[in-house]
Amino acid sequence: MIRFEHVTKRYADGTAAVDDLSFEVAEGELVTLVGPSGCGKTTTMMMVNRLVEPTSGRVLVDGEDISGVDPVALRRKIGYVIQQVGLFPHRTVLDNTATVPSLLGWKKAAARARAAELLDLVGLDPATYGSRYPAQLSGGQRQRVGVARALAADPPVLLMDEPFGAVDPVVRERLQNEFLALQATVRKTVLLVTHDIEEAVRMGDRMAVYGQGRIEQFDTPATVLGSPATPYVADFVGSDRGLKRLAVTPVTEADLDPVPLEKTGGTDGAPDPVPLGTSLKDALAALLQHDTGRLTVTGADGRPLGVLTPAGVHRALRRATVE
Ligand SMILES: Nc1ncnc2c1ncn2[C@@H]1O[C@H](COP(=O)(O)OP(=O)(O)O)[C@@H](O)[C@H]1O
Ligand SMILES: [Mg+2]
């Protein structure tokens, strides 16, 4: 859906902000671009909606070289969410959200109905918040309006530049989870820029780890954490990458021990069973809350497949890290 082919961007002063970048984002995929400040993430993103033009190379959206596409027409297909949100201070939340449909010439009532629907979708009751002004919202609420506004015209592509950067960690995690739930239903093709490795791992179907102007590794979070491609990536993801892997490694059948015979009777003190595919992090959290030291894991039919023990968690992590 989005394709970079040998893209280089050199600014007027000679800075190569990105250098010979090639990657592809599939339709409905969420790819995070992560790296330290100044490594070229925002430049990359802005070349997708032609706010920045490549010095060489091509960017394709939906199979089309965008250098030949009218930027206004292009941006209609691309929602854009930025950290500073950029809401119009003198317009209500409802009118801010309706901005793009209005620009597209929708009738006022239709644009507002759509805006109300989107506010609802991002967890803001339109009856309560629709008539407020941006200054009357919390930071987290403003971010939600930014997401609602970007989605209002139902664009297939969404660009998000540090979208949750301006809020405190607790609100950030809530917004991240809300957005993931939303993405599971709307399935946009998303590029999300962040300097936060935790966010990149949590949000990305795949992640691009940037060095200076280059992608050092482009892969699933589990693979980046388990098998960093270079010493730079290993350093960037952190020495606790084994722990971070817990959140992105699902429990598989190979990690389980047989259900012990005595277990079929009493279930005193036993955690509730979890389905196969639960993350090791959630499974470990459940294990730590109870004394039994094992967690029943069920298959698609809801029947127990086996039990996960702390040793099984350890095996799973070791295997995934050594592979
Ligand atoms: N308009 C510009 N003119 C000159 N240099 C720029 C401009 N925009 C960004 N840069 C430089 O390009 C590099 C990458 O910037 P940017 O893409 O904003 O990084 P990031 O988003 O990863 O923090 C930096 O060295 C930055 O100073
Ligand atoms: Mg940036």
Side-chain angles (χ1 to χ4, degrees):
M1 185 70 178
I2 301 173
R3 188 177 159 90
F4 276 65
E5 292 179 353
H6 300 289
V7 173
T8 295
K9 174 62 190 180
R10 216 170 271 288
Y11 285 111
D13 62 0
T15 313
V18 305
D19 187 12
D20 195 25
L21 211 60
S22 295
F23 67 91
E24 203 167 340
V25 184
E27 191 172 340
E29 188 181 28
L30 193 165
V31 168
T32 53
L33 309 182
V34 65
S37 179
C39 67
K41 306 181 296 294
T42 294
T43 299
T44 303
M45 175 161 284
M46 286 179 153
M47 287 192 284
V48 179
N49 60 6
R50 296 196 63 187
L51 288 174
V52 169
E53 300 289 346
T55 310
S56 60
R58 301 201 305 167
V59 180
L60 294 90
V61 173
D62 215 0
E64 202 173 6
D65 180 346
I66 61 169
S67 66
V69 179
D70 170 44
V72 175
L74 178 69
R75 286 171 204 155
R76 269 181 207 148
K77 295 197 297 188
I78 302 178
Y80 192 35
V81 185
I82 53 175
Q83 182 179 329
Q84 304 81 347
V85 188
L87 298 179
F88 301 112
H90 303 301
R91 283 198 196 164
T92 64
V93 164
L94 194 70
D95 286 339
N96 263 289
T97 309
T99 302
V100 180
S102 299
L103 285 175
L104 292 177
W106 294 30
K107 293 230 159 60
K108 195 161 186 167
R112 289 188 155 190
R114 173 69 181 160
E117 191 184 318
L118 263 300
L119 287 173
D120 209 30
L121 198 63
V122 298
L124 292 175
D125 175 17
T128 307
Y129 297 101
S131 57
R132 290 202 193 171
Y133 290 89
Q136 298 168 314
L137 300 178
S138 71
Q141 290 165 342
R142 276 198 290 273
Q143 295 289 346
R144 289 195 182 96
V145 177
V147 172
R149 184 178 58 175
L151 288 171
D154 205 18
V157 174
L158 206 53
L159 305 178
M160 308 178 84
D161 197 344
E162 309 264 6
F164 313 123
V167 294
D168 67 69
V170 174
V171 174
R172 185 181 314 162
E173 187 165 343
R174 193 182 317 142
L175 290 174
Q176 287 168 347
N177 289 334
E178 285 173 10
F179 183 77
L180 285 176
L182 187 60
Q183 168 66 357
T185 59
V186 298
R187 285 264 152 232
K188 301 298 179 186
T189 303
V190 186
L191 265 186
L192 187 151
V193 162
T194 179
H195 62 270
D196 176 2
I197 180 70
E198 311 274 353
E199 180 162 281
V201 165
R202 183 176 299 146
M203 305 290 288
D205 296 315
R206 290 189 294 166
M207 57 196 283
V209 182
Y210 275 66
Q212 210 45 249
R214 312 181 68 96
I215 293 177
E216 298 264 335
Q217 189 168 13
F218 189 99
D219 215 317
T220 60
T223 302
V224 171
L225 293 174
S227 315
T230 63
Y232 170 88
V233 176
D235 187 49
F236 185 76
V237 299
S239 54
D240 62 341
R241 64 190 174 89
L243 281 177
K244 293 193 179 96
R245 275 188 65 85
L246 286 167
V248 291
T249 307
V251 175
T252 67
E253 226 171 322
D255 307 325
L256 306 181
D257 291 313
V259 182
L261 284 176
E262 81 273 19
K263 178 127 195 336
T264 48
T267 51
D268 278 356
D272 289 334
V274 300
L276 210 60
T278 299
S279 73
L280 285 171
K281 182 180 176 195
D282 290 344
L284 188 57
L287 273 174
L288 289 171
Q289 290 202 0
H290 299 272
D291 292 330
T292 55
R294 56 182 180 247
L295 178 66
T296 303
V297 177
T298 56
D301 58 2
R303 301 173 57 134
L305 281 174
V307 296
L308 185 72
T309 65
V313 173
H314 185 248
R315 276 200 310 273
L317 279 174
R318 289 296 303 162
R319 187 183 56 235
T321 310
V322 171
E323 258 168 14

